[in-house]
């Protein structure tokens, strides 16, 4: 048998006792991987995600703060508008009530209502008296001082007739107010008895008054200088004001004295504070015993509104026409209706 030599025999290692080499492993991937090949995540990836989350939180927080600022701004704008509306409403109300002649009347002097008080001046000596009816009209925003003559006939006790002057002295303020309400158709709600010492103190409290004196008033005793000298713009202290308000020259009609009291009352009102609280303080300083029909606070408020009328030229003084027999004179009924809104009820001839 012919031995043929294997051509590849030289590639086969002979058995020399050495181990055969194992299988070859694949080489490491090349540094430049093919496009699109997956690569392991970068070690810094976690920090980037955290930064993104923090940025989103910051953005959300900033948006919330911006929205909160916008809400607060809207709330402040609404509050400011509400305050402005209230202020404008109050200003419009004040203007509507005040008119052109000064401050608006108080609640008790509201539009359409008349507030009337009767004032009696009583000297400490003698039986003379002077009576003025003060009326504040809330519709016309004007005040009127009605001079009531002393001989005005009013109802007395038991339905008898008496004069206003005797009623003030003998029956007192309450009964006299009732008699006047019966005669004039109602509307008088309070009485103020102003004895001469209190008038003197009142004039002093307001710092004196100024009147156009229509007469020279002599001094208290012989040789004393005149208490008041006739002429315009006379400055009077308390004592001189009382002397002028109660003066009646020989042969003069009683109405002249009443008119002088009306002058003094108007001059006093021009000096009374327009603030109700301050006017009430002036009344309290008089230290009078308040009339139950007219407590100090109500009297102060009434005087304050009358003072505003007097200062702004919305104040007039008129006399109630009265015949010599005490009956109401011609035109009295119309004047009463115009000023008080009432209808006279006279127990006899009304003189209309």
């Amino acid at each position: 048998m012919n031995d043929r030599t294997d051509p590849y025999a030289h590639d086969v290692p002979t058995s020399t006792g050495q181990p055969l080499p194992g299988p070859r492993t694949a080489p490491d991937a090349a540094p430049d991987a093919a496009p699109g090949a997956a690569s392991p995540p970068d070690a810094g990836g976690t920090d980037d995600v955290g930064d993104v989350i923090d940025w989103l939180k910051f953005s959300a927080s900033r948006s919330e703060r911006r929205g909160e600022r916008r809400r607060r701004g809207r709330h402040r704008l609404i509050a400011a508008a509400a305050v402005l509306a209230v202020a404008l409403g109050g200003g419009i109300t004040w203007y509507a009530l005040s008119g052109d002649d000064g401050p608006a009347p108080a609640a008790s002097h509201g539009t359409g209502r008349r507030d009337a008080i009767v004032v009696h001046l009583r000297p400490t000596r003698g039986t003379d008296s002077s009576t003025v009816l003060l009326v504040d009209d809330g519709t016309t925003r004007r005040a009127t001082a009605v001079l009531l003559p002393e001989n005005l006939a009013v109802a007395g006790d038991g339905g008898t007739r008496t004069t206003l002057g005797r009623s003030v002295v003998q029956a007192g303020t309450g009964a006299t107010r009732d008699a006047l309400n019966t005669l004039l158709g109602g509307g008088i709600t309070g009485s103020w008895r102003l004895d001469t010492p209190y008038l003197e103190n009142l004039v002093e409290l307001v710092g004196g008054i100024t009147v156009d004196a229509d007469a020279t008033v002599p001094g208290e005793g012989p040789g004393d200088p005149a208490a008041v000298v006739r002429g315009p713009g006379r400055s009077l202290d308390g004592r001189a004001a009382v002397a002028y308000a109660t003066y009646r020259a020989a042969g003069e009609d009683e109405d002249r004295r009443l008119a002088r009291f009306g002058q003094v009352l108007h001059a006093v009102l021009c000096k009374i504070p327009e603030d109700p609280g301050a006017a009430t303080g002036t009344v309290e300083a008089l230290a009078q015993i308040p009339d139950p029909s007219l407590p100090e606070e109500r009297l102060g408020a009434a005087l304050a509104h009358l003072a505003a009328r007097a200062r702004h030229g919305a104040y007039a003084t008129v006399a109630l026409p009265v015949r010599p027999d005490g009956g109401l004179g011609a035109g009295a009924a119309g004047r009463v209706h115009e000023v008080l809104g009432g209808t006279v009820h006279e127990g006899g001839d009304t003189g209309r």
Side-chain angles (χ1 to χ4, degrees), residues 19-35:
L20 293 174
R24 299 175 63 185
T25 59
D28 292 339
D32 297 330

Side-chain angles (χ1 to χ4, degrees), residues 91-106 110-111 138 141 309:
I92 292 171
T93 301
W94 177 88
Y95 179 80
L97 291 177
S98 63
D100 296 328
D101 58 352
T111 300
R141 295 187 176 91
R309 308 296 190 206

Side-chain angles (χ1 to χ4, degrees), residues 122 154-157 162-177 179:
R122 286 285 310 277
V154 296
D157 293 337
T162 186
T163 64
L164 175 60
R166 285 197 296 267
S167 179
V168 171
V169 175
Q170 297 172 4
T173 57
T176 301
R177 182 177 63 253

Side-chain angles (χ1 to χ4, degrees), residues 20-55:
L20 293 174
R24 299 175 63 185
T25 59
D28 292 339
D32 297 330
S39 60
D42 185 51
T46 301
D47 293 338
D48 292 341
V49 172
D51 291 342
V52 171
I53 293 174
D54 290 342
W55 183 86

